[in-house]
Structure formats: structure tokens, C-alpha cells
Amino acid sequence: MARPRSLLQTLRLWVFPPTIPETEPARRRSRTLRFTAVATLVIAALTLGALVAAEPFSAWRRLGSLIVVAVLCGVAFAAGRKERYELGGWILTGGLILLVTIRAWPLGGLFSSVGPFYVVLVLMGGVILGRRGSIGITLATAAAALALYAGHRAGSIATPALGVTPMGMLLSLLMAILLSFSLQVAIGNTFRFTLRRAEAELAERKAAQHDLGERVKELGLLHHVAQATQRESSSDEAMLRDIVRMMPEAWQHPDVTVARISFGATIAASPGWRETPWMQSTQFVSGDRAGSIDVAYTEERPAADEGPFLNEERALLDSVAEMVVAHLDSMRSRHELENLVAKRTAELREASATLSVSLARLQELEGLRDDLVKMIVHDMRGLLLVVMANLEFARTEVEGQPKSDIDDALGAANEVNKMANTLLDVSRLEEGKMPMTVASCDLAEVLRSAAATLGALDSSRVIEVVCTDPVTAECDRELIRRVIDNLVGNAIKHTPSGGRVRLDALRRNGQVRVTIADEGAGVPEDARTRIFEKFGSVRKRGENSMHSAGLGLAFCRLAVEAHKGRIGVEPGVPRGSVFYFEIPSGSAEATA
Amino acid sequence: MTNSGESDPKPNTVLVVDDDAKTRAVIAKMIRAVGYEPLEAANGSEAIHHYAARSNDIAAATLDLMMPETNGRATLAMLSEIAPFLPIVISSGLDPNAERLQGRIPGTPGVTYLQKPYKQEQLKAALDKVMGQLRRSR
């Protein structure tokens, strides 16, 4: 229990408040004191020196004053060095008041030049000692003025006859002292106000800078999170661990901050993570899993917007959560897509494998079919040898009808032979295994040869070859000859007796076009493609149509296509049909 | 086998090798018609056997390539070995390009290919051709 302070103690504490050493105000005041002491001494020395020069008779007096001033300034300076600025201030100002008063005593007291000195000393007191000190100095100067007045009243000091009483001078002096005091207070206030404002501004700036630093840390965290989420190679767990590692730095008090991110079964936490009463959390959902991000202070910290956390930190936490969710969603979509693609790829592979198997089977069957065709044709040929040779022998031994019958039989056997050959050729062309010898060939000449051969067999129809100049193309002469034979043979069959079959060949746009025109009944429009298919012939009754071999035109088509050409039939003008085929002429020859 | 004192008569026999009896018969008939004496063999082993017995007499041979026992190709190969100078007419129902023959193949002197069915004249021409080639080359 402290003793109640005595009046003297109170006075003492009030005049000499305890200085907190090494604080800014103490240092400032001490600096001011030292400066004032030095300045006072210098000015006093200069002035007193000038006065001695002006009034040499007062030299000793002035010197005495200077010594006193020097002592006072020295002591004040030393006190300032030790930061005892009140003591120093009082010694300096008090000592100077005393010196001025004593010097004024024999020089007219109140009527001497004490006024300016008192005013200056009040100001000096305010500057060095502050507001409280300046009250004391004001009172001291007032007391000194009163002392001089008392001297006048006592007759110690001579009163000049100037028409002003000592009381009048005293009052004027007191007024000056008071004005000085109030002016000093006003200056002090202005100074304090400016100082406080500057300090406030500085504090504001420091706070702003601190805030800026905090925002930079937050941005740093967001940037880091963005980078972590863009790293595609790392797993979800690795990414969360990375983020959790960087999070504490972005909070106000990183040294006590710990963080944790949990997502489904995955948990990533700072070392030393534990739940505390000072926590900040946010929840999120990605796909069918939930997660949360938690930040905790392991020690209590000053309260802010949300517990010890700032609004900005809440915003930061939510931003981090948003970025994490966006990344997790995107990865999930990507995985789903990848899975889908893998599934489809597997399905496609399976389908492809099935197709490969089917293809292999198909090729196998085709091979078997080709072998079958070959075998059938081989056997047929063997049997035909027996049939035809024996018929030939029999033919030589008979005459008349039997001979004619045998001729018919031989004719039919020949047809069978041709059918067998055509069947084999069609099979080989379809397989792509028809051997072809390609050479330059004059188609006009082939037409003339076919016309001659086939025309010789049937004189009732005229076979006319229109083209006269050579028409050359690169082709297998044998195959093309057989195509022409087939088409000319068909034309003859379909042309009535006495009718005309016209053959022509011409070059056109790098192709050679061969046409065989007959005067038959024509081919109906819907059959014009079908007839070139295997067994797709047009069957007609009547004298001028025979059953055409189902394979002949198919063979022609395949043989022409093997030359990369095309075949077709158009209506003849005015009647009949024009069968044509076109094949590339092959070589870049000049006009034939 | 001849054991007369006259100069070696020209061999006049043509060996007919075919697995079908009717085919053999008709070929034999054709051979007789063109002035030769047919000697039938139903398979490759018979053919080799006949040749071994009457090699001096055999002027030429017709050979079917598709036979069940000792296939024609093997027979051709064997004949090529034991009778390198025997003219041969290979007859078959298959196309010439489809064969993969060993030994003397069509195109070499004394061997030619004749596709069935053929006429008597064609057979004669073939026999004349192969026999002529080997006579000249001796």
C-alpha cells in the first residue's frame, strides 16, 4: 500500500516528471537542450563581445556575465548528454533569469532591458521543458519581476522620472511574460499537433505497408496454388501436400499457423497440425467426395474480424478452396474421359480382332472356292477330252444325220469348254491373280482380226470395222482380244440376219474407247448394269436371241477393270445397243 | 526289245501315262491314228517300270500331271532323271502357270505343254515338236 504522497513530493513529480530514458521524447528534448545551450553560449559570447567593443568600460562586467553564461550552458549541456533534460533545462533557464535580474538591479531594475530577456526565457523554457516546465519558468520570471518591483518600492533601485511608475512597468512586464507564455503554448500546440499528425501518418503508412505485405503473401499463395493445380503429372495427394505446405506463410502469424486439407480419404496437413479454439475452415465438394480446408493458430492472437483472422484471410481461404475444387473437377472429368476412351479403344480393338478373324476366314473360304473352281475346271477338261476326242473319231465313221448330230454334240462340248475357261478366268480375275502381259497394242488391228475370224463363221451378218488408223493402248493383247471376241460374238447373236455389226476404236482424253454396235432389240435400262454381273444375263425368247453365257460379260467387265478401265452399254441409234469399253491409253504418245 | 540284225529301228512307241482308263484309251486311239504305237501306264510307277523294260523302243511320252499314286510332278522329276533325252508332252487340265514343276519343264528342249481338251492334230503337232527338238540336239 503506497503512502499518500506529500505536497512537496507531488510538486516535485509535477515539475520533474520521471523521464523514461532512451525514449524518443527524452532524446528529442535532450537534443534541443544541448542545441539551445550551445546556441545561447555562442550568441551571448558574440553579443557580449560586441558590447565590450561598444562600451569598453563595461568589459569586466561583461566578462563576468559571459563566464556565468558559459558555466550555465556547460552544465546544461552535460545534463543533456545524460538525458536529464529537466534538470539541465531548469538550471539553464533558472540561472539565466537570475543573472538577468541581478544585472538589471543596478541598471534601473524594471526600467532596464529585462523585458525582452524574460520573454525569451519563457519561450526557451517552453521549448526545452515542455508545457509543464514553461509554466514554472513563467512563474519564475514573474517572481523575478516582482522582486525588481519590490526593489523599486524599497528604494534599492532608482526610479527614473519618465512619467511611468514602477507598478506600470511591472504590469507591462507581466503582460509581456504572459503573452510570451501563451504564444509558447500555441507554438507548442501547433508543434505537437503537427508532430502527432506526422506520427499518425507514419503509423498509417506503416500499417498500409504491412497490409500490402500481407496481400503480397496472399497473392503468392494463390499463385503457388495455381501452379500446383496446373502440374498435371502430380497426384491429388501430392498437390494437396504442396498447397498445405505453402499456406501458413500467407497468414498474419505464420509462426503459429498450421493448415490441413482433407478430401475423401486423402489428408494433407502441416507438421504439428492440431485442432485449436482459433480455427478457420471452409468445406467443398468435388464429384461424390467432400473435403475441407482448415487453418488454425496454435496460440492465441489478438482478435480481428473473424476470431483472430482477418476478412482477407477468409477470402483467401475461400479462393484456395475454389481453385482446388476447379482442379479436382477438371481432373475427374479428364479421368472419366480417359476411361471412356480406353473403353472405346478396347471395344474397337475387339471389333477389329473379330473383323480380322472374319477376314481371315473369308480369305480362307475364297481360297477354297478358287481351289474348287480350279479342280472342277481341271476335271471338266479331262472329261471333255474323252467326249470330244471320241466324238471326232465317231464323226469320221458316219455320214448324214448321225454326222450332223455328232457335229451338234461337238458344238455343245465346245461351248462347255468355253464356259469352263471363262469360269476359270473370272475366278482368277476376281482373285487378282490373272497374269497380264502389258504391251503396246493396236486395237484397230485387233478389231479387224476379230471381225475376220468371227465373220468367217457367220456370213449372214456384216461385220464392219469403222476405224482405219492405228489406235494404240498399253494392254494385255490376249485378254482384250477375248473381250472383243465376246462382245462381237454377242453382237452377232443379237443382230438379225442381214444386219450389220459395227466396230470402232478412237482415242479421247488419254483413253481409248472401243465400241461394238449391234442392231438387236436393245438392252432395257434397268438391266444395263446387271448384265455385267455374274449370271445376270437378260433372258429373251425369240429367233435372234440365244441364252447368253452368264459369265461372258462378267469376264469382259473384270478384264477391262483389270486394265483400270470401264465397260458399259448404251442404246444404239436408231435401234439396238452399243457396247463400249474404255481403257487408259497408257503411254504419252502423240496423236496416233 | 529288239534282237533282229537290222539296224536299230526307229523307236515307235509312245508311253501314255494317265490315271483314267477312258482317257488313256482315247489318247491311245489318237496316237495310233497319228502313226505311233501306244503303251499305256496307269500311274507313275508303271510308267517307270515300262520305260526301264523298253527304253530303246520308247520314242516319247504323254504325261498327265494330276494322278493319285506318284503324282505327275514326281513322275516328271523321276523320268527327267532316268530318261533325260525322252521327249515328253505334258497334258493337264490345269493351266501351265499353275504348275510348279521340277526337272525338265515346258520350254526346255524336248518338253512341251498341251492343255486338255485337245484335238488329234494338236497332239500330233506337239509330239512332232518335242521329238524334233531332241533329235536336233543329239
Side-chain angles (χ1 to χ4, degrees):
Chain A
M1 187 97 158
R3 273 181 300 143
R5 288 198 288 246
S6 68
L7 188 64
L8 205 62
Q9 276 178 319
T10 313
L11 199 64
R12 192 173 73 81
L13 280 168
W14 193 82
V15 174
F16 295 107
T19 321
I20 305 170
E22 291 183 10
T23 58
E24 190 52 36
R27 262 185 250 138
R28 203 170 359 102
R29 289 254 154 86
S30 303
R31 265 201 304 273
T32 311
L33 172 64
R34 293 200 299 276
F35 174 76
T36 310
V38 168
T40 306
L41 181 60
V42 166
I43 293 168
L46 288 170
T47 317
L48 288 168
L51 280 167
V52 167
E55 299 170 357
F57 53 87
S58 64
W60 289 110
R61 189 160 43 96
R62 304 289 184 209
L63 188 63
S65 300
L66 184 62
I67 288 168
V68 172
V69 169
V71 165
L72 289 172
C73 289
V75 170
F77 190 88
R81 288 287 294 270
K82 290 208 162 64
E83 288 189 1
R84 299 290 306 274
Y85 64 89
E86 284 110 355
L87 188 63
W90 272 108
I91 288 172
L92 181 64
T93 44
L96 286 172
I97 291 171
L98 211 55
L99 177 68
V100 161
T101 310
I102 290 171
R103 279 284 177 249
W105 201 280
L107 294 171
L110 289 171
F111 293 89
S112 72
S113 55
V114 287
F117 283 102
Y118 287 159
V119 165
V120 162
L121 287 168
V122 168
L123 288 171
M124 189 190 286
V127 162
I128 297 172
L129 297 167
R131 211 178 329 168
R132 285 204 207 148
S134 73
I135 295 175
I137 299 296
T138 307
L139 290 171
T141 46
L146 278 167
L148 286 172
Y149 175 72
H152 281 280
R153 286 300 298 267
S156 311
I157 307 174
T159 308
L162 288 168
V164 184
T165 61
M167 175 55 80
M169 286 306 289
L170 176 66
L171 289 171
S172 305
L173 204 59
L174 287 175
M175 184 179 74
I177 288 167
L178 276 172
L179 276 172
S180 171
F181 171 72
S182 55
L183 183 68
Q184 183 273 130
V185 167
I187 291 171
N189 280 348
T190 310
F191 172 73
R192 248 189 305 281
F193 176 70
T194 311
L195 185 66
R196 284 229 182 88
R197 241 216 352 205
E199 279 175 347
E201 245 179 57
L202 188 66
E204 240 178 65
R205 289 236 180 93
K206 278 209 176 124
Q209 203 166 12
H210 174 78
D211 275 353
L212 197 65
E214 291 297 304
R215 297 293 90 70
V216 163
K217 280 201 293 183
E218 284 160 21
L219 276 173
L221 175 64
L222 287 174
H223 172 71
H224 189 89
V225 169
Q227 277 190 325
T229 55
Q230 268 162 27
R231 255 198 296 278
E232 295 181 351
S233 54
S234 59
S235 66
D236 287 353
E237 197 180 327
M239 177 196 74
L240 294 178
R241 270 206 298 273
D242 202 18
I243 293 174
V244 127
R245 196 165 44 85
M246 291 302 294
M247 277 179 71
E249 284 303 310
W251 261 253
Q252 261 202 97
H253 308 288
D255 48 332
V256 298
T257 308
V258 284
R260 176 184 67 176
I261 308 180
S262 60
F263 178 58
T266 313
I267 299 182
S270 317
W273 161 267
R274 61 192 158 83
E275 292 190 10
T276 65
W278 313 288
M279 266 176 67
Q280 205 181 23
S281 296
T282 186
Q283 262 69 44
F284 61 87
V285 169
S286 173
D288 56 356
R289 291 197 286 172
S292 75
I293 308 185
D294 315 296
V295 173
Y297 285 159
T298 53
E299 288 169 13
E300 191 174 4
R301 282 288 178 268
D305 307 306
E306 184 188 324
F309 301 102
L310 301 167
N311 283 338
E312 288 83 357
E313 286 166 344
R314 160 57 60 187
L316 178 65
L317 190 64
D318 290 340
S319 299
V320 170
E322 254 177 55
M323 290 168 85
V324 166
V325 165
H327 172 78
L328 289 169
D329 282 346
S330 141
M331 290 305 286
R332 206 186 58 252
S333 300
R334 162 107 66 88
H335 284 139
E336 278 168 14
L337 191 65
E338 282 172 359
N339 286 343
L340 194 65
V341 165
K343 202 171 110 181
R344 291 275 174 269
T345 308
E347 282 170 11
L348 275 171
R349 257 200 214 112
E350 212 185 296
S352 166
T354 310
L355 273 172
S356 295
V357 166
S358 297
L359 180 67
R361 179 92 190 108
L362 201 64
Q363 284 169 336
E364 200 189 321
L365 285 171
E366 268 191 14
L368 285 173
R369 181 198 67 177
D370 298 326
D371 288 342
L372 187 67
V373 166
K374 279 200 198 93
M375 268 173 39
I376 289 173
V377 165
H378 166 270
D379 289 350
M380 275 170 74
R381 282 172 172 167
L383 293 167
L384 279 171
L385 174 63
V386 177
V387 165
M388 287 163 79
N390 279 315
L391 279 173
E392 292 277 359
F393 281 123
R395 193 174 174 276
T396 60
E397 289 162 23
V398 295
E399 286 299 333
Q401 189 57 47
K403 192 174 186 144
S404 175
D405 292 344
I406 289 173
D407 283 339
D408 287 348
L410 276 168
N414 257 320
E415 288 300 314
V416 171
N417 194 23
K418 280 193 201 159
M419 272 175 71
N421 288 337
T422 308
L423 181 67
L424 193 62
D425 285 337
V426 164
S427 175
R428 282 197 295 178
L429 281 166
E430 277 180 337
E431 271 181 84
K433 285 185 186 162
M434 178 64 111
M436 280 170 62
T437 321
V438 174
S440 188
C441 163
D442 177 11
L443 291 173
E445 192 268 315
V446 174
L447 286 175
R448 279 194 290 275
S449 169
T453 312
L454 293 166
L457 295 172
D458 187 329
S459 54
S460 67
R461 294 146 174 106
V462 177
I463 306 177
E464 185 186 314
V465 179
V466 175
C467 52
T468 48
D469 293 333
V471 180
T472 49
E474 299 278 316
C475 62
D476 182 312
R477 194 201 156 88
E478 183 55 41
L479 269 180
I480 294 297
R481 169 62 193 258
R482 285 169 60 189
V483 170
I484 290 172
D485 282 349
N486 241 291
L487 294 174
V488 173
N490 278 351
I492 291 171
K493 281 184 216 159
H494 288 90
T495 300
S497 240
R500 180 189 301 269
V501 173
R502 302 180 73 197
L503 315 180
D504 195 6
L506 54 93
R507 281 177 93 87
R508 195 167 73 168
N509 301 332
Q511 305 257 319
V512 164
R513 184 179 165 99
V514 173
T515 54
I516 292 106
D518 66 55
E519 290 176 351
V523 177
E525 191 174 344
D526 56 337
R528 285 186 199 145
T529 315
R530 194 160 32 92
I531 54 175
F532 292 102
E533 290 164 26
K534 279 198 295 193
F535 310 113
S537 63
V538 177
R539 302 222 155 207
K540 282 183 131 181
R541 305 275 166 193
E543 176 200 351
N544 295 318
S545 302
M546 296 179 188
H547 293 299
S548 52
L551 289 174
L553 287 174
F555 165 78
C556 292
R557 173 178 64 83
L558 286 165
V560 165
E561 282 172 3
H563 286 84
K564 312 249 188 304
R566 60 191 197 98
I567 195 168
V569 60
E570 289 164 350
V573 175
R575 62 180 182 280
S577 312
V578 176
F579 279 78
Y580 67 88
F581 66 87
E582 289 171 355
I583 54 173
S585 57
S587 55
E589 275 186 352
T591 50
Chain B
M1 280 182 306
T2 59
N3 47 13
S4 63
E6 53 193 31
S7 57
D8 282 340
K10 248 171 58 173
N12 203 35
T13 310
V14 172
L15 187 56
V16 176
V17 189
D18 200 305
D19 58 341
D20 178 58
K22 293 195 169 58
T23 311
R24 269 200 316 276
V26 84
I27 296 175
K29 207 165 167 186
M30 284 197 280
I31 283 173
R32 224 173 256 120
V34 300
Y36 293 99
E37 190 59 39
L39 173 58
E40 294 179 37
N43 53 54
S45 356
E46 264 193 50
I48 305 289
H49 181 76
H50 283 319
Y51 183 81
R54 297 176 53 178
S55 56
N56 291 335
D57 205 21
I58 293 176
T62 72
L63 175 62
D64 179 1
L65 282 182
M66 298 282 279
M67 290 192 286
E69 222 182 297
T70 320
N71 72 45
R73 287 195 211 101
T75 309
L76 175 64
M78 270 196 288
L79 275 178
S80 305
E81 266 202 53
I82 65 173
F85 298 110
L86 181 65
I88 304 181
V89 171
I90 299 175
S91 81
S92 173
L94 292 169
D95 288 303
N97 300 329
E99 308 295 351
R100 287 184 301 278
L101 302 174
Q102 294 165 315
R104 298 161 64 209
I105 56 175
T108 60
V111 184
T112 194
Y113 192 93
L114 187 61
Q115 186 165 305
K116 295 178 183 176
Y118 47 80
K119 299 200 177 151
Q120 189 174 293
E121 301 80 58
Q122 289 172 302
L123 179 59
K124 180 172 189 341
L127 282 168
D128 287 343
K129 176 177 157 190
V130 292
M131 290 198 285
Q133 282 173 344
L134 280 180
R135 226 179 337 221
R136 280 193 292 278
S137 64
R138 275 213 186 145

